Amino acid sequence: MTAFATRRGSVTFPIPDVPDRARMRRETGERLRASMTARGVDALVLLNNSNVVYATGANWPLGDAGLSHVERPVAVVLRDDPWPHLFMPFREGASAERDLPADHLHGPVYLEFDEGVENFARLLAELIPAGSSIAVDEHTGAMLRAGKQIFPGGAPTDAALVVGPAKLIKTPDEISCIRTACRITERAVAEVQAALAPGRRQIDLSAGFVRRAFEYGATANMLDAIWQVMPSTKADGVWTTHGDLALPLLTTERELEAGDVLWTDVSITYGGYCSDFGRTWLVGGEPSAAQQRQFEQWRTILTAVLDVTKAGATAADLTRAAIAANGGAKPWLPHFYLGHSIGVSAAELPMIGTDLGPEYDENFVFEPGMVLVLEPVVWEDGTGGYRSEEIIVITEEGWTPLTDYPYDPYGN
């Protein structure tokens, strides 16, 4: 167990060097069932890949963790059973935390098809007592056609109201997984940045990153890597409904040119837990004086936010600090946020500074063990702007950093 000191005071937050997966599954299972009890839910039916990972520990090698197709994994969690039921194909290269009892491991259910839903309804009737309250996170078209007769207890409620609160506070082993995912990402990204040059295509950067990330231990690529070339002015950029900058834009075969400003955004998983990496890079050059000033302004904003970040602070405390440090203007894109959490999904609640409104931010209080990704943005026409992301863990008196990557070519 290694203790990492925060940059504020002498507070430490213990993070295992290697996650204990059995302990992690036990503790996250307890959190999930406690959330079920708090909301009066007897059974969860989970289709969302990230929720299945959280509930069962199952993970499988994927090029895109958002894809599920017809063999999607499905989890059924019962409030009075410490072991979840897992429905998925078991094949070479897949892992499903083999400490699950054999009678809790099932073959795939094909919920995109009417016959699959009919079969699943019979299985649920065997697992879930009649009259139980059930919550579901997603429905396929076939499930919607079948209606409420799939579920023994009638029409289900929204499982997001159960799973979301359970995910808010991470266990030390979950944080260890996130930190390992970050280390894998940063190691792979360093090689991409070293190869950055005029004439390289965006897809070349993606190919190099994905190959190295999997070689270094990634389980899945959470999103198509973003190496977005930023316009010189907002007027030169892609049209958006809100009149501000577009982000993210898909990677293409575009060849990079000297002087291009790249906003990067990549995410992989390790053992089902995500990294999130963002930096601003320059192609074939050093920052101008104006670009360097933007970076310093970004760092001023980040420092102001971190100075108020600790257990007991609210999301509104962070947004106020960011806005004040930016001269009264919001330093984030209108369709995004100042920050968000991370775990089995690349972006989890809370979302800080969104159109959920100031009341949401005022009422969201941070607790030790919550993990945040902070990503302020500074923009000035003619520069390409500056954006980077930092991942931290909330502690009683401050925060602990998980990100460990320099700001080249702007500074360390």
Side-chain angles (χ1 to χ4, degrees):
M1 187 80 72
T2 301
F4 285 79
T6 68
R7 299 172 191 171
R8 299 183 66 241
S10 59
V11 180
T12 59
F13 192 94
I15 305 174
D17 290 329
V18 178
D20 183 327
R21 295 185 182 278
R23 179 175 61 196
M24 181 171 70
R25 292 273 63 81
R26 182 175 64 252
E27 292 178 350
T28 56
E30 290 170 354
R31 288 191 58 81
L32 188 56
R33 292 191 298 277
S35 186
M36 294 171 69
T37 298
R39 287 154 186 84
V41 172
D42 298 313
L44 294 175
V45 177
L46 305 176
L47 283 70
N48 177 275
N49 284 0
S50 296
N51 290 342
V52 173
V53 171
Y54 185 78
T56 68
N59 61 86
W60 48 99
L62 291 172
D64 182 346
L67 296 179
S68 52
H69 299 304
V70 297
E71 288 190 337
R72 68 164 74 219
V74 177
V76 175
V77 182
L78 306 178
R79 186 169 63 177
D80 58 357
D81 187 343
W83 303 107
H85 288 264
L86 177 60
F87 300 80
M88 68 177 289
F90 298 98
R91 57 170 65 94
E92 187 70 25
S95 168
E97 292 308 313
R98 295 296 180 171
D99 57 354
L100 286 178
D103 62 350
H104 284 55
L105 293 172
H106 311 271
V109 287
Y110 300 95
L111 300 184
E112 279 73 14
F113 305 104
D114 294 337
E115 295 86 349
V117 171
E118 292 173 5
N119 180 57
F120 189 53
R122 289 191 291 270
L123 294 172
L124 288 182
E126 296 174 3
L127 292 176
I128 303 174
S132 298
S133 59
I134 302 173
V136 180
D137 63 349
E138 290 185 10
H139 291 79
T140 65
M143 290 171 67
L144 291 173
R145 287 193 296 273
K148 63 183 181 181
Q149 63 262 35
I150 307 173
F151 305 103
T157 57
D158 186 0
L161 300 177
V162 176
V163 181
K167 290 180 179 179
L168 284 175
I169 298 175
K170 276 34 178 204
T171 70
D173 295 300
E174 288 183 284
I175 296 171
S176 179
C177 286
I178 295 169
R179 188 181 62 189
T180 301
C182 291
R183 287 175 171 174
I184 292 170
T185 300
E186 291 170 0
R187 188 178 177 189
V189 158
E191 297 185 31
V192 175
Q193 187 176 15
L196 199 64
R200 294 295 302 276
R201 299 175 301 172
Q202 289 173 309
I203 58 172
D204 295 334
L205 305 184
S206 295
F209 169 75
V210 172
R211 175 177 178 174
R212 284 304 195 195
F214 275 89
E215 289 175 347
Y216 294 146
T219 305
N221 188 41
M222 278 303 292
L223 52 84
D224 288 336
I226 304 300
W227 323 97
Q228 184 167 326
V229 178
M230 299 305 295
S232 178
T233 68
K234 287 184 181 179
D236 294 334
V238 174
W239 179 86
T240 61
T241 57
H242 49 63
D244 211 304
L245 296 166
L247 182 80
L249 297 178
L250 292 177
T251 292
T252 69
E253 295 187 18
R254 174 176 179 164
E255 292 187 358
L256 303 178
E257 300 178 2
D260 279 347
V261 177
L262 302 187
W263 283 9
T264 68
D265 196 356
V266 299
S267 176
I268 59 98
T269 72
Y270 168 79
Y273 284 80
C274 299
S275 67
D276 197 0
F277 176 90
R279 285 289 186 269
T280 296
W281 292 346
L282 296 177
V283 178
E286 296 296 320
S288 66
Q291 289 171 328
Q292 191 65 44
R293 285 195 302 271
Q294 282 198 310
F295 168 67
E296 298 300 336
Q297 175 64 10
W298 177 89
R299 188 143 60 179
T300 296
I301 295 167
L302 181 67
T303 299
V305 172
L306 292 175
D307 281 345
V308 299
T309 299
K310 62 179 180 179
T314 67
D317 292 330
L318 275 60
T319 60
R320 280 191 289 267
I323 291 169
N326 196 46
K330 291 181 179 180
W332 62 89
L333 299 178
H335 61 291
F336 270 125
Y337 24 59
L338 173 64
H340 58 85
S341 189
I342 188 171
V344 291
S345 297
E348 296 181 351
L349 292 174
M351 310 293 185
I352 305 170
T354 68
D355 57 4
L356 291 172
E359 184 178 0
Y360 173 86
D361 289 334
E362 290 285 1
N363 289 325
F364 191 93
V365 180
F366 296 113
E367 299 180 48
M370 291 183 176
V371 180
L372 295 183
V373 182
L374 299 172
E375 48 183 287
V377 169
V378 176
W379 177 265
E380 177 186 346
D381 271 5
T383 65
Y386 191 87
R387 172 188 178 275
S388 280
E389 301 183 47
E390 296 291 322
I391 305 180
I392 63 169
V393 182
I394 302 292
T395 66
E396 287 285 0
E397 299 179 28
W399 50 274
T400 294
L402 296 185
T403 306
D404 185 21
Y405 196 86
Y407 301 102
D408 294 342
Y410 296 85
N412 296 322

